[in-house]
Amino acid sequence: MTTLYDAVVLAGGAAKRLGGVDKPGVRVGGRALLDRVLAGCRGAGRTVVVGGRRATVRPVVWAREEPPGGGPLAALGAGVRDVAAGAVLVLSADLPFLDEETGRRLLDALTAAPDVDAALLVDADGRDQPLVAAYRTDALRRELAHLVTTHGSLSGLPLRLLTQGLRVVRVTAGPLASFDCDTWEDIAAARARIREHGNVLDEWITAVKDELGIEIDVDTGVLLDLARDAAHGVARPAAPLTTFLVGYAAAQAAAAGTADGPEAVAEASRRAAALANRWAAEAERDTAG
């Protein structure tokens, strides 16, 4: 079981290779990069975002290094001060494909190796990713304090110094887990990726849920089957109207406490699909008669 954890998301930086734009606010699939990362660590007890304040899809704790622009280690030092859990997931805010599974794997690797201080993601080229990693909070604070003692400050220090004094375990993941957006070419590649046939529906549903503030996991296959049955068995406009009514009925059931969200959607979909099939069967009988 994944351990309880907090998260620190680094959302500062000058984004020089993007012309100095507000990189965490750049949208991929209609969602800000920062919001996409926040969705990937939504299981955190507390999420600390180090950077300029902005609207986000869920509540976070804001922090800022002093002075601003001191680099990732200075930002991490500012963020870890607000961490309460014994483990912390550290992430950069430019990871468009980060998902909860990546965080779970890192945290599980940390839990499974009690003698290590950190679990680092390793990218497709075999490079450690200290900003896609899970750390034991005490060990991280200790190492940051050591760097301050040695160098006088965290400001301007290279990120590679962070893990030199830590005992680490490495975790491999898919090629997209550590894909970050440093250039406009990276942004374009990420935008193209989410519009591919195998990804676009899941990406769209996630974007809609974020936009509407909905945190419910539903079986999209069930809804698509229902839409197909309604369109073929009744009339094409019945598909979107039926799925809307299913959502409304599911919300009522959840509000009444008779079913939770996913269960309510599944039950309403089943009943509506059965109705559509009965409707179509009547039409077939009448036509045959």
Side-chain angles (χ1 to χ4, degrees), residues 5 11-12 22 33 42 48 84 107-108 148 172 174 182 187-188 190 194 202 205 215 228 247 253 256 270:
Y5 72 100
D22 174 31
L33 284 172
R42 62 182 176 181
V48 184
L107 291 160
D108 287 345
V148 170
T172 57
D182 289 327
I187 296 291
I194 68 169
D202 286 342
I205 293 300
E215 292 190 10
R228 179 202 61 205
R270 183 193 64 77

Side-chain angles (χ1 to χ4, degrees), residues 97-115:
F97 302 114
L98 181 80
D99 56 17
E100 288 188 278
E101 176 61 24
T102 298
R104 281 194 291 267
R105 290 188 61 191
L106 290 166
L107 291 160
D108 287 345
L110 189 67
T111 302
D115 59 334

Side-chain angles (χ1 to χ4, degrees), residues 10-276:
L10 305 187
K16 293 180 180 178
R17 296 170 69 185
L18 288 173
V21 301
D22 174 31
K23 182 163 69 168
V26 172
R27 295 185 181 277
V28 173
R31 302 160 63 203
L33 284 172
L34 174 58
D35 285 339
R36 296 179 73 90
V37 173
L38 292 178
C41 60
R42 62 182 176 181
R46 173 184 296 180
T47 300
V48 184
V49 178
V50 186
R53 289 177 179 263
R54 68 192 67 225
T56 53
V57 292
R58 61 182 179 84
V60 300
V61 176
W62 293 99
R64 199 68 191 261
E65 75 276 21
E66 290 295 340
L73 288 184
L76 184 53
V80 78
R81 288 197 293 265
D82 291 311
V83 169
V88 55
L89 193 62
V90 173
L91 305 164
S92 60
D94 60 354
L95 303 166
F97 302 114
L98 181 80
D99 56 17
E100 288 188 278
E101 176 61 24
T102 298
R104 281 194 291 267
R105 290 188 61 191
L106 290 166
L107 291 160
D108 287 345
L110 189 67
T111 302
D115 59 334
V116 306
D117 302 314
L120 308 182
L121 194 74
V122 177
D123 67 17
D125 296 321
R127 294 173 298 195
D128 290 348
Q129 299 295 313
L131 298 186
V132 193
Y135 296 85
R136 298 195 194 281
T137 304
D138 288 345
L140 179 59
R141 286 179 173 143
R142 183 181 66 247
E143 188 60 22
L144 290 171
H146 170 72
L147 291 174
V148 170
T149 300
T150 303
H151 299 278
S153 169
L154 295 173
S155 184
L157 293 183
L159 182 60
R160 67 176 182 274
L161 296 179
L162 177 61
T163 57
Q164 290 183 354
L166 297 177
R167 298 163 297 177
V168 304
V169 61
R170 291 171 173 84
V171 176
T172 57
L176 294 179
S178 61
F179 181 94
D180 58 356
C181 292
D182 289 327
T183 67
W184 286 114
E185 288 77 14
D186 295 335
I187 296 291
R191 288 171 172 169
R193 175 77 183 186
I194 68 169
R195 286 178 169 80
E196 292 177 357
H197 176 70
N199 302 320
V200 65
L201 280 180
D202 286 342
E203 286 283 351
W204 170 247
I205 293 300
T206 300
V208 172
K209 290 193 293 185
D210 277 359
E211 187 70 19
L212 300 181
I214 300 170
E215 292 190 10
I216 180 175
D217 292 324
V218 297
D219 187 338
T220 55
V222 168
L223 292 177
L224 289 173
D225 288 346
L226 168 60
R228 179 202 61 205
D229 292 343
H232 292 174
V234 184
R236 281 190 175 274
L241 294 173
T242 303
T243 52
F244 164 78
L245 292 172
V246 163
Y248 189 85
Q252 283 190 319
T258 58
D260 65 15
E263 178 186 336
V265 171
E267 174 61 15
S269 297
R270 183 193 64 77
R271 294 173 61 185
L275 174 61

